[in-house]
Structures are given as structure tokens and as C-alpha cells.
């Protein structure tokens, strides 16, 4: 089992339509490929975690990097894991831009600010810590298939 994390930038402001469209086309692929994970979106950036079998994580990432809906893609990590963080075969979509101001401010205080929103870190340990923190929040603004 493998986990890949990357960060990218969106050429236009991200909203729920952007997240919905991306995850709508991903749903069937990810189920077939036994992939799980999360797509975090600020107004300007994405950070995605993809977990699953080596070949499937690899080929999905190869498709994703060619997608014109984002650019400036930076690989944060790709490595072997003991267990999934996200146990369902699905991709959670979380709109950080819709977090309540108080929570967003606290995350920004801890992880920094970028283009007026939460900064997605490039260090794996920090990315995982941030994802863990976000996972602990109940009532997340999220889109689920
Ligand atoms: C930020 C972002 C995340 C994406 N995540 C996934 C994903 O998890 N799985 C997937 O199959 N496609 C994902 N895509 C879409 C792919 O880039 C690609 O458009 C899609 O897989 C092509 O599907 P199709 O060949 O059936 O049209 C993502 C695209 C973007 C911009």
C-alpha cells in the first residue's frame, strides 16, 4: 500500500463547483482503483492525499498532473505505508475556504498563510499533521459522493 501527497495551484478561484466537478469525475476511477484519500482546497491551492496500490496511485497521479485545472504541481511525498488514513475507497473533498473564520485563523496561525488563505505545507510530516488537525474538526465543510 502506498500514499502520495502533492500540492498544486489553481489558475482560477476555487469554489464548490470546482471541487464537485473534480470529484465527480474521480469517483468511478477511484473506486475501481481501490484508491482513498482527501482533496483539500483553499481559494487558490489544492493539496491531495491518494492512498492505494502502487500502480493505481502512480497512474492516477500521472493523469492528474496533466489536468489543466491546476498547475505548479509539487510532489510532497510518495512512499509505502502500513495502513490507510482514509479507510473508505473514496476521495473526500474539503473546502478550507468554507471553514469558519475562527478555525481557519487557528490553522493559519499554526501552518502559515498563503494568498490570504491557509498555507499547504511542502514537508510530509507537516502536511500529515495538518490533515490530522483538519480531520479532528467536526462539521467539516465537505463534499462527498
Ligand atoms: C486537483 C485535482 C484532483 C484530481 N483527483 C483525481 C482523483 O483522485 N482521481 C481521478 O481519477 N481523477 C482525479 N482528477 C481528474 C483527472 O485529472 C482526470 O481529469 C480524470 O481522471 C480523467 O478521467 P476520464 O479520463 O474518465 O475523463 C483530479 C483533477 C484535479 C485537477
Amino acid at each position: 500500500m502506498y500514499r502520495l501527497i502533492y500540492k498544486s495551484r489553481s489558475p482560477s478561484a476555487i469554489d464548490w463547483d470546482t471541487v464537485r466537478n473534480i470529484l465527480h469525475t474521480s469517483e468511478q476511477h477511484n473506486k475501481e482503483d481501490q484508491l482513498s484519500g482527501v482533496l483539500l482546497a483553499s481559494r487558490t491551492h489544492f493539496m491531495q492525499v491518494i492512498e492505494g496500490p502502487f500502480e493505481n496511485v502512480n497512474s492516477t497521479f500521472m493523469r492528474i498532473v496533466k489536468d489543466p485545472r491546476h498547475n505548479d504541481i509539487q510532489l510532497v511525498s510518495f512512499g509505502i505505508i502500513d495502513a490507510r488514513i482514509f479507510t473508505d475507497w473514496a476521495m473526500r473533498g474539503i473546502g478550507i475556504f468554507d471553514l469558519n473564520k475562527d478555525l481557519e485563523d487557528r490553522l493559519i496561525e499554526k501552518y502559515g498563510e498563503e494568498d490570504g488563505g491557509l498555507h499547504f505545507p511542502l514537508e510530509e510530516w507537516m502536511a500529515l499533521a495538518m490533515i490530522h488537525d483538519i480531520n479532528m474538526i467536526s462539521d467539516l465543510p465537505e463534499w462527498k459522493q
Side-chain angles (χ1 to χ4, degrees):
M1 191 74 60
Y2 285 75
R3 178 183 304 125
L4 182 149
I5 307 177
Y6 74 85
K7 173 184 178 175
S8 64
R9 174 186 281 278
S10 172
S12 51
I14 301 169
D15 57 18
W16 280 113
D17 278 347
T18 323
V19 176
R20 193 176 301 121
N21 287 338
I22 291 171
L23 292 190
H24 186 69
T25 54
S26 310
E27 183 188 7
Q28 200 52 40
H29 286 300
N30 291 1
K31 271 194 192 143
E32 282 167 17
D33 290 341
Q34 297 145 51
L35 298 179
S36 53
V38 67
L39 177 68
L40 302 180
S42 67
R43 283 276 175 222
T44 54
H45 287 81
F46 297 108
M47 173 157 265
Q48 189 172 22
V49 178
I50 307 170
E51 302 170 328
F54 179 88
E55 286 300 336
N56 304 356
V57 174
N58 206 26
S59 56
T60 299
F61 183 59
M62 288 301 144
R63 257 198 340 268
I64 291 173
V65 293
K66 291 187 198 124
D67 198 310
R69 288 174 288 184
H70 61 173
N71 50 49
D72 199 8
I73 292 150
Q74 292 175 287
L75 185 63
V76 173
S77 64
F78 184 22
I80 198 157
I81 53 169
D82 291 332
R84 295 172 193 260
I85 301 176
F86 303 92
T87 42
D88 295 336
W89 290 354
M91 190 56 66
R92 282 181 87 181
I94 298 174
I96 301 297
F97 50 77
D98 254 358
L99 268 186
N100 79 53
K101 192 81 189 87
D102 187 44
L103 281 171
E104 192 181 13
D105 284 350
R106 274 156 57 194
L107 286 168
I108 286 174
E109 198 178 315
K110 198 162 169 187
Y111 298 102
E113 184 175 341
E114 184 169 28
D115 296 329
L118 177 61
H119 170 252
F120 294 151
L122 288 172
E123 297 82 2
E124 182 187 25
W125 70 269
M126 215 188 280
L128 288 172
M130 189 187 75
I131 287 158
H132 179 74
D133 284 352
I134 290 169
N135 258 341
M136 302 284 285
I137 300 169
S138 53
D139 300 330
L140 275 171
E142 71 177 307
W143 184 79
K144 272 195 212 146
Q145 290 92 335

